[in-house]
Amino acid sequence: FRLWAVRPFLRWRVRREAYLGGLRELPAMVRFGLRVLPGSLSQGFTIQSAMWVLGATVPLAAVGAFSRAQSITVKIGDLNYRLAAVIYPSLVRRAPMNDGGGFFVVGVMASLRRTFAPLLLVLCGAAGASHTILSLFGPDFLSATDSLAILLIATGISTATMILGEALTALNRPMLTSVGLAVGLAATLAPIIPLSRAYGATGASIAFLSGTAASTAFLFAA
């Protein structure tokens, strides 16, 4: 359906000059992508690390309960990618304006105010109802109630991480975004094993929250 709907915007035959022009642009696009890649890998490792550590340190039932809680927040986190698609073009338009960065910062703060703040409030409210949410899946998952509450708050904070990362990318500084996400990975991995051993799934969730907060703090400073 998408291929059919997008027909008015596609050309099935490309002029040779346009093709050669694309080849000339390709190396710069690849270099840009290589600067983005470390951040993408760090973000993926951060999300999955809790599951790996719990799988090695706690009973299988606890891993399953945590997995259910995390799957709920991952679905909510998908909203961040949709928000990025909306926010990024306006940030790109603001980036080249020569006013010392003031107009750009105003745009970033407006994005945080319109998306991050209300979403964080909603997810904090959902965190208070985490017991009710997990009860929908059965009593076996209620052991992850605290984990779900913490992960929901972390998901809300990650919206700010996304916006600030997109802002740096719009300024052609994607490597700073990657560094920020790598900082988050380090802040997750450093405490995750002792916290998981001491508090199980709740400890892993706390480690994930600390990593998310560290990424956001770094990107905000950057």
Side-chain angles (χ1 to χ4, degrees), residues 110-207:
S111 296
L112 288 171
R113 186 174 62 254
R114 294 168 184 166
T115 57
F116 162 64
L119 185 59
L120 181 60
L121 287 174
V122 169
L123 291 179
C124 285
S130 57
H131 184 278
T132 302
I133 294 171
L134 285 176
S135 68
L136 298 174
F137 300 96
D140 293 339
F141 294 101
L142 292 178
S143 62
T145 295
D146 293 338
S147 293
L148 178 59
I150 296 167
L151 291 174
L152 284 168
I153 295 171
T155 301
I157 295 173
S158 71
T159 304
T161 309
M162 177 276 299
I163 293 172
L164 296 168
E166 292 295 306
L168 287 168
T169 304
L171 293 172
N172 198 26
R173 304 297 297 275
M175 197 63 202
L176 273 177
T177 301
S178 290
V179 171
L181 294 173
V183 167
L185 174 61
T188 300
L189 294 181
I192 193 170
I193 292 178
L195 284 175
S196 296
R197 285 177 173 172
Y199 304 108
T202 301
S205 302
I206 293 171

Side-chain angles (χ1 to χ4, degrees), residues 12 15-17 26 47 49 69 88 96 109 118 150 178 194 196 204 210:
W12 297 107
R15 290 180 294 109
R16 184 173 182 273
E17 294 78 8
L26 182 60
I47 293 171
S49 59
Y88 186 68
M109 298 310 294
I150 296 167
S178 290
S196 296
S210 72

Side-chain angles (χ1 to χ4, degrees), residues 6-37:
V6 81
R7 285 180 305 123
F9 306 100
L10 287 179
R11 293 178 181 175
W12 297 107
R13 293 183 179 182
V14 181
R15 290 180 294 109
R16 184 173 182 273
E17 294 78 8
Y19 179 75
L20 293 176
L23 289 179
R24 287 192 294 271
E25 295 291 334
L26 182 60
M29 295 172 66
V30 172
R31 287 193 297 271
F32 185 89
L34 288 174
R35 288 187 287 165
V36 173
L37 178 62

Side-chain angles (χ1 to χ4, degrees), residues 67-110:
S67 175
R68 172 60 61 188
Q70 189 181 53
S71 68
I72 294 171
T73 59
V74 166
K75 294 299 182 184
I76 298 171
D78 288 344
L79 175 62
N80 285 341
Y81 296 105
R82 304 292 177 257
L83 289 173
V86 175
I87 293 169
Y88 186 68
S90 65
L91 294 176
V92 171
R93 285 195 298 271
R94 290 170 181 262
M97 295 183 179
N98 188 18
D99 66 341
F103 189 58
F104 183 81
V105 171
V106 168
V108 174
M109 298 310 294

